[in-house]
């Protein structure tokens, strides 16, 4: 399970590019997104189920996020 920060992982709803040092931040944040894709892919190849949530999802409705985690865990047990 990953909780991706809206800024650091470029949330489509809340991610915002800084107005200064744009080249640096664009490179940094794009590398973060690419690494997320690669890590998810490698874990899935190894048989892991990867759950990713945005920071705002946890903040806005932690019970819904927890329910998804529990549901996923139960499905894997049966």
């Amino acid at each position: 399970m990953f909780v991706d920060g809206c800024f650091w992982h470029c949330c489509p709803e809340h991610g915002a590019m800084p107005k200064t040092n744009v080249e640096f931040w664009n490179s940094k944040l794009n590398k973060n997104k690419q690494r997320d894709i690669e890590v998810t892919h490698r874990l899935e190849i190894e048989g892991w189920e990867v759950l990713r949530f945005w920071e705002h999802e946890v903040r806005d409705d932690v019970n819904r996020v927890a329910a998804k985690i529990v549901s996923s865990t139960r499905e894997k047990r049966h």
Side-chain angles (χ1 to χ4, degrees):
M1 181 193 83
F2 295 90
V3 177
D4 295 330
C6 290
F7 171 75
W8 294 106
H9 300 268
C10 302
C11 170
E13 290 182 46
H14 302 105
M17 186 61 63
K19 304 235 187 287
T20 59
N21 208 1
V22 174
E23 188 174 317
F24 167 81
W25 284 110
N26 191 41
S27 174
K28 169 72 176 153
L29 298 176
N30 282 327
K31 286 177 187 174
N32 288 352
K33 288 192 319 187
Q34 185 60 39
R35 186 181 62 244
D36 293 342
I37 291 166
E38 291 169 7
V39 166
T40 297
H41 181 70
R42 279 184 295 192
L43 289 169
E44 288 175 341
I45 285 173
E46 292 180 18
W48 291 93
E49 178 182 8
V50 177
L51 300 175
R52 285 192 174 272
F53 301 97
W54 288 110
E55 163 191 9
H56 72 266
E57 291 178 288
V58 176
R59 183 181 56 241
D60 294 348
D61 194 348
V62 71
N63 291 326
R64 186 179 64 77
V65 170
K68 283 186 176 183
I69 295 166
V70 168
S71 174
S72 174
T73 303
R74 285 187 179 145
E75 288 173 14
K76 294 297 178 192
R77 283 162 117 212
H78 299 297

